[in-house]
Amino acid sequence: VPMRRHFGLLMPSLLTGLLLLAGCSTGGDLAVEIVPNADFEGDVYTFAATGDAVNDGIFCDSGGWTWLGNETADGDPMPNSMIEELIAAGEDFEMVVVNQFECADGSGSIVVEELSTVKASNPAGSAEDAGTVVGTWEVRSGSVNGDQITGSGDILSQGNMQVSGSQRLLKGTLTSG
């Protein structure tokens, strides 16, 4: 009988510990969607983020974004003159766009590289492209709440990149630590 009494006390303690562990974030791959928005007339660039990575505090739900530059797929700078030459030649080409997403709450920021193929016949994209996968993204660097952030995913078109509004959808996962 004494053994049964000890087991009876031990079992609720074990269950409570397991439930507490189940509710904790492990920092694993958590789903995220980041939607950059641009107001070209007002020169305001913001983003909204949703998903488990936001719910678990790995990433913030909103902030501002800044374009840091364009690169070739090999990491070399890609000036506008090179882009114009490739488009004028009628050649589709790969391009990396580098952006920084800074959290409005001051918790941190991430630098993301976005690799996509630019169609020379329609470099800005169009409404017909909306919702299609047009490339991939990866976190190059950054931290939020003091934790290093990694992650990657797909880029979905939101239409014409030269029109104010939602620019694209970054859909994937983020990991902290």
Side-chain angles (χ1 to χ4, degrees), residues 11-71:
M11 197 60 173
S13 298
L14 285 173
L15 288 174
T16 301
L18 288 173
L19 290 173
L20 287 173
L21 285 174
C24 293
S25 170
T26 62
D29 291 345
L30 296 175
V32 69
E33 291 188 2
I34 303 170
V35 180
N37 288 285
D39 175 356
F40 295 121
E41 293 78 34
D43 200 26
V44 177
Y45 305 91
T46 61
F47 73 89
T50 58
D52 291 340
V54 173
N55 297 341
D56 282 15
I58 288 177
F59 194 56
C60 55
D61 65 356
S62 64
W65 64 274
T66 305
W67 172 74
L68 300 178
N70 296 328
E71 300 174 355

Side-chain angles (χ1 to χ4, degrees), residues 82-95:
M82 181 188 287
I83 295 169
E84 291 166 4
E85 287 173 14
L86 290 167
I87 291 171
E91 299 177 30
D92 293 351
F93 58 94
E94 286 189 321
M95 181 170 79

Side-chain angles (χ1 to χ4, degrees), residues 104-141:
D105 62 9
S107 60
S109 66
I110 58 174
V111 174
V112 173
E113 56 185 57
E114 302 173 23
L115 173 65
S116 60
T117 300
V118 176
K119 295 178 185 175
S121 61
N122 187 13
S126 62
E128 292 82 37
D129 296 330
T132 61
V133 175
V134 295
T136 60
W137 63 271
E138 185 173 350
V139 174
R140 182 178 279 184
S141 63

